[in-house]
Amino acid sequence: MEAPASPFDTLLYNVDADGIAVITLNRPDKLNAINTQVLADLQRAFRQTRSDERVRGVVLTGSGEKAFAAGADIAEFTDLDALEGHRFALRGQAILTSIENSPKPVVAAVNGYALGGGCELALACHLRVASENAQFGLPEVGLGLIPGYGGTQRLPRLVGQGLATEMILTGDRITAERAHAIGLVNHVTPSSDLLAKAQEIVGTIVSKAPLAVAMALNALRSVDLPQAQGLQMEAALFGQACGTEDFQEGVHAFLNKQKPEFSGR
Ligand code: DAK
């Protein structure tokens, strides 16, 4: 039987039996380069993950064995001027920020090159798993550009200012092993195990209380606030968590030596 046609021009979108949506960038002949259509499809696909109650978590990956995404589509750069570039950056940033703000966990399964905009897309996900052949880099300065989809902001927050400065100013690529050593990726696996590892991590997260997961993501995002404000945010979210049915269920199940059955309320 033929697989159903994807509702997206440039993505594959499948939800498995455990409620994990696997979104696959699907331009393998262009190493999954991110063009305007890919950005629009990503926006629509992530909206769908929010509204679809079956979906509990997301894995984002690329098709083929060479690339997660080899960057923004350079073929679209020819007509960019200063005004258009600014507009483009704001739009792309908003889409990647909506991925980062997803209340459902998003894990990038990086199956090869993650360069430029592709690296920035992986940075917008909550966690990253890489195949052993993955390579990360922000080569924009070699094209007369700078990262425009959040790379100058998210990379230093993840790996520190010094390492991010080196990657952004040299444009040098780093291996998966190095990316793991500096905290850019959480795990490195053989290519054949990559998707399963990403699904396993999302599976573990979605076995927990969904509202608590969303609140924890929210609290973690507050790390950029001054600490006193971040602590206030944490306390407010902690209070909200205490008001959920899932909190009662979690405590009740523990005290009765049962497995909790979370309802997401
Ligand atoms: N864009 C368009 N096409 C690409 C591409 C890209 N980024 N990367 C690869 N391709 C295409 C190649 O042109 C080739 O197409 P055909 O010639 O077959 O039609 C096909 O994919 C296979 O690529 P190669 O033949 O080059 O494959 P190799 O294995 O030899 O080399 C490579 C793999 C990843 C080393 C090489 O393809 C490469 O260097 N690619 C470009 C990497 C790169 O510089 N990426 C762009 C970084 S700059 C913005 C916001 C963000 C950004 C820009 C603007 N605004 C807000 C305005 C982000 C910028 C970037 O991402």
Side-chain angles (χ1 to χ4, degrees), residues 27 30-35 38 68-74:
R27 301 181 75 213
K30 295 293 178 194
L31 303 188
N32 301 317
I34 302 166
N35 62 14
V38 174
F68 174 73
D73 191 329
I74 298 171

Side-chain angles (χ1 to χ4, degrees), residues 115-153:
L115 304 178
C119 184
E120 293 174 292
L121 181 58
L123 289 170
C125 298
H126 300 136
L127 299 171
R128 284 147 293 281
V129 185
S131 59
E132 287 165 347
N133 69 330
Q135 291 191 35
F136 295 80
L138 290 163
E140 283 88 343
V141 288
L143 290 164
L145 282 175
I146 67 167
Y149 291 152
T152 65
Q153 301 306 303

Side-chain angles (χ1 to χ4, degrees), residues 68-239:
F68 174 73
D73 191 329
I74 298 171
E76 287 190 343
F77 287 2
T78 49
D79 293 332
L80 271 187
D81 59 18
L83 196 65
E84 191 64 7
H86 186 199
R87 217 175 53 84
F88 227 71
L90 292 175
R91 173 165 160 71
Q93 286 177 358
I95 293 170
L96 268 62
T97 298
S98 78
I99 295 174
E100 185 175 51
N101 287 345
S102 166
K104 302 177 184 180
V106 183
V107 174
V110 179
N111 55 307
Y113 293 114
L115 304 178
C119 184
E120 293 174 292
L121 181 58
L123 289 170
C125 298
H126 300 136
L127 299 171
R128 284 147 293 281
V129 185
S131 59
E132 287 165 347
N133 69 330
Q135 291 191 35
F136 295 80
L138 290 163
E140 283 88 343
V141 288
L143 290 164
L145 282 175
I146 67 167
Y149 291 152
T152 65
Q153 301 306 303
R154 294 195 177 97
L155 188 63
R157 283 170 169 79
L158 199 57
V159 305
Q161 188 78 10
L163 290 167
T165 302
E166 184 176 349
M167 281 183 72
I168 290 169
L169 296 190
T170 65
D172 286 347
R173 295 183 213 146
I174 61 168
T175 62
E177 190 185 356
R178 173 81 178 138
H180 185 234
I182 65 174
L184 204 168
V185 303
N186 298 77
H187 299 274
V188 180
T189 71
S191 292
S192 53
D193 300 341
L194 178 69
L195 199 56
K197 181 68 185 174
Q199 284 168 312
E200 177 194 317
I201 294 170
V202 178
T204 300
I205 298 170
V206 302
S207 72
K208 314 297 182 193
L211 289 175
V213 166
M215 288 172 198
L217 285 170
N218 202 344
L220 283 160
R221 275 192 290 274
S222 309
V223 78
D224 288 333
L225 296 175
Q227 183 166 308
Q229 260 176 277
L231 286 170
Q232 280 177 17
M233 174 69 91
E234 184 186 79
L237 288 162
F238 184 90

Side-chain angles (χ1 to χ4, degrees), residues 250-260:
V251 172
H252 179 266
F254 178 82
L255 294 176
N256 289 287
K257 301 193 187 306
Q258 292 165 349
K259 194 165 175 277

